[in-house]
């Protein structure tokens, strides 16, 4: 039996019969130490098991019927108002797939590196790449040239697709690159031209796909260290699309107008906007990049009703949106970082007509793992991330003893579901450290479930800073700091920040006689990393506290930074 079938069978058995060790309120089985989702998918949300199904075929199969597709709007450009209907989207995906296959010779298994901000073209590119069995790998266009080169190299990209303004970052990789949009440069080919010029009569031979084939490699820091390629197969996306459709249905969001400013290069934005909402037939207003004022304008101009968001944006709405008419809003989601009880309550006070649901997810779980089904529950339980999604199981593992813990006890969250990644690309060691031999994903987050099965994330065990919902790995910044000739030793820690969640702070040991300043340290790092990874605060120290094994004692430095703040008050 596969892991998926095993989980389905176990859930079926519990939901049907409630064996004596199983607590139907929390979903906890005291015999196995496993929490199971208390939600069963109805027949209309069954995950398709056809082995040769791929993500693109699955998403396209759910597009509105041909008579509705000509008028049903899939995407709107927030800046220009340009609209793309479902019928146009289907045609451009097909034309681009033809161009990529026949024009550029891209074949099943070839990695296609996508470096672009959000645009109307982004979903077309993702779906066309997936439809020919190629592997999508996406990157943040704010990344530096060296960060991009590393990812191109690691993913083994055969071809790249770049926004014109980012092309210079790809030149040194030597990978053949297409632009997303037309430019006046006659030597470069663009996706727009491929869509317009491909021959619709050319047949696309069946890609001979299997659900177990790799669909995407998305980069994440995992629980430690630098960026790693998360391998997500078609089966993972198909399962996630089904869950997303289920969540759209149970929250009655089918006719909502969604707003997308979340980056489609991360799993949150990719799963929602480039794939999942199209699978659900909704309309999305796309912003090329986040801008608070432009977001408020877009909400009013397009009568936006639904915003999958992150905590800093929700805080911004609480604090800075008094002069705007946001009466069209109906639902706001929060993910990628913890939403504090205070901000959630402030939001509900200011926008009592808006449902606010938090969720929890990771790139390694292909997106959401928990969610709130009803707004009433979310309202009553501010601070919780909701319940396990259908087909998810969890364990709360004591970090000292390794024992699986019952409700209201804190431990590391482990997850199992059909969406959990296959592993990290070319990194068996990191994979083995993250996925147990029996298929549990160790999230590196400290949590507990309450007696009703609601999840509370309380801390992070993994050494990762979350700035604006983006991951920042201290080890990466420490390596850069140590490369400075005047730095003897360095450690990077998170410092709480109301607006961004956390900011990276560096403690630095200067070389004898060095007069290195805080500003020089900040600038040295800023020159080498994407803006969201910048060190934003620096402290000088005589020695970095380390364990006998040489591990940085970050908690001590966090305490020190807190004491320094208090002593300054
Ligand atoms: C909207 C945010 C919160 C704020 O945007 P921002 O104000 O532009 O700030 P940035 O952080 O993007 O930009 C950082 C810097 O880059 C600069 N920048 C900006 N765009 C530019 C530019 N195009 N040129 C040049 N400079 C620029 C920007 O000015 C800024 O500069 P500075 O702070 O002065 O150093 C933005 O950070 C953001 O989208 N964050 C979300 C990240 C995200 O999607 N994370 C999800 C990871 S996956 C995951 O956790 C999944 C969870 C999940 C959970 C639940 C679910 O249900 C499903 C999924």
């Amino acid at each position: 039996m596969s892991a998926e079938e095993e989980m389905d069978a176990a859930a079926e058995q519990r939901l049907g019969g409630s064996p004596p060790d199983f607590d139907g309120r929390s979903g906890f089985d005291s015999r196995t130490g496993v929490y199971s989702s208390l939600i069963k998918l109805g027949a209309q949300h069954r995950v398709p098991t056809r082995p040769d199904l791929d993500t693109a075929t699955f998403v396209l199969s759910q597009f509105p019927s041909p008579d509705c597709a000509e008028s049903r709007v899939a995407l709107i450009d927030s800046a220009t108002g340009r609209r793309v209907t479902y019928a146009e989207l289907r045609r451009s995906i097909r034309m681009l797939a033809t161009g990529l296959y026949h024009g550029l010779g891209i074949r099943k298994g070839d990695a296609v590196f996508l470096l672009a901000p959000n645009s109307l073209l982004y979903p077309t590119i993702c779906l066309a790449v997936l439809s020919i069995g190629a592997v999508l790998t996406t990157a943040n266009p704010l990344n530096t040239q060296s960060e991009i080169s590393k990812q191109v190299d690691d993913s083994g990209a055969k071809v790249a697709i770049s926004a014109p303004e980012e092309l210079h970052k790809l030149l040194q990789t030597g990978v053949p690159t297409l632009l997303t949009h037309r430019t006046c440069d006659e030597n470069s080919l663009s996706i727009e031209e491929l869509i317009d010029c491909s021959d619709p009569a050319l047949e696309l031979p069946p890609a001979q796909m299997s659900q177990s084939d790799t669909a995407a490699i998305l980069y994440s820091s995992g629980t430690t260290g630098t960026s790693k390629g998360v391998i997500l197969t078609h089966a993972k996306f198909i399962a996630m699309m089904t869950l997303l459709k289920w969540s759209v249905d149970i929250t009655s969001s089918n006719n909502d107008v969604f707003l997308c400013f979340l980056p489609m290069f991360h799993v949150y934005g990719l799963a929602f906007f480039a794939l999942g909402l199209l699978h659900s037939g909704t309309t999305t207003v796309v912003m090329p990049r986040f801008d608070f004022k432009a977001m408020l304008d877009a909400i009013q101009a397009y009568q936006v009703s639904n915003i999958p968001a992150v905590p800093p944006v929700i805080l911004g709405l609480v604090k800075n949106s008094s002069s705007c008419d946001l009466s069209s809003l109906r639902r706001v989601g929060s993910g990628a970082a913890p939403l504090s009880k205070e901000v959630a309550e402030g939001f509900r006070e200011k926008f009592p007509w808006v449902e606010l649901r938090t969720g929890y997810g990771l790139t390694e779980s292909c997106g959401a793992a928990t969610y709130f089904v009803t707004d009433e529950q979310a309202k009553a339980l501010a601070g919780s991330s909701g319940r396990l999604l259908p087909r998810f199981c969890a364990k709360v593992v004591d970090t000292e003893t390794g024992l699986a813990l019952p409700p209201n006890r804190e431990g590391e969250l482990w997850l199992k579901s059909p969406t959990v990644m296959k592993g990290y690309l070319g990194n068996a060691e990191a994979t083995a450290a993250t996925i147990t031999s029996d298929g549990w994903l160790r999230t590196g987050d400290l949590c507990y479930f309450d007696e009703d099965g609601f999840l509370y994330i309380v801390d992070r065990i993994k050494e990762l800073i979350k700035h604006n919902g983006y991951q920042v790995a201290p080890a990466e910044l420490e390596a850069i700091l140590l490369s400075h000739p005047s730095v003897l030793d360095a450690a990077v820690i998170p410092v709480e920040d109301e607006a961004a969640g956390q900011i990276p702070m560096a403690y630095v040991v200067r070389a004898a006689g060095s007069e290195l300043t805080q500003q020089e340290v900040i600038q040295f790092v800023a020159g080498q990393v994407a803006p969201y990874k910048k060190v934003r605060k620096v402290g000088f120290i005589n020695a970095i506290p380390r364990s006998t094994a040489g591990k940085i004692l970050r908690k001590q430095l966090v305490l020190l930074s807190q004491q320094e703040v208090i002593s300054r008050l």
Side-chain angles (χ1 to χ4, degrees), residues 490-508:
V492 174
I493 56 158
V495 169
E496 300 310 309
D497 178 81
E498 194 196 14
Q502 295 180 326
I503 55 169
M505 173 179 181
Y507 274 105
V508 170

Side-chain angles (χ1 to χ4, degrees), residues 142 263 267-268 289-290 310 335-336 359 361 368 466 468-470 531 534 536:
L142 291 183
V267 79
Y268 190 178
R289 59 160 295 201
F290 180 72
V310 286
K466 269 273 169 128
N468 270 345
Y470 285 127
K534 283 184 205 170
R536 285 165 199 268

Side-chain angles (χ1 to χ4, degrees), residues 279-300:
H279 171 79
S280 300
T282 57
T283 299
T284 294
V285 177
V286 179
M287 292 175 64
R289 59 160 295 201
F290 180 72
D291 174 272
F292 192 75
K293 168 82 173 49
M295 173 185 76
L296 297 179
D297 291 346
I299 296 172
Q300 291 177 83

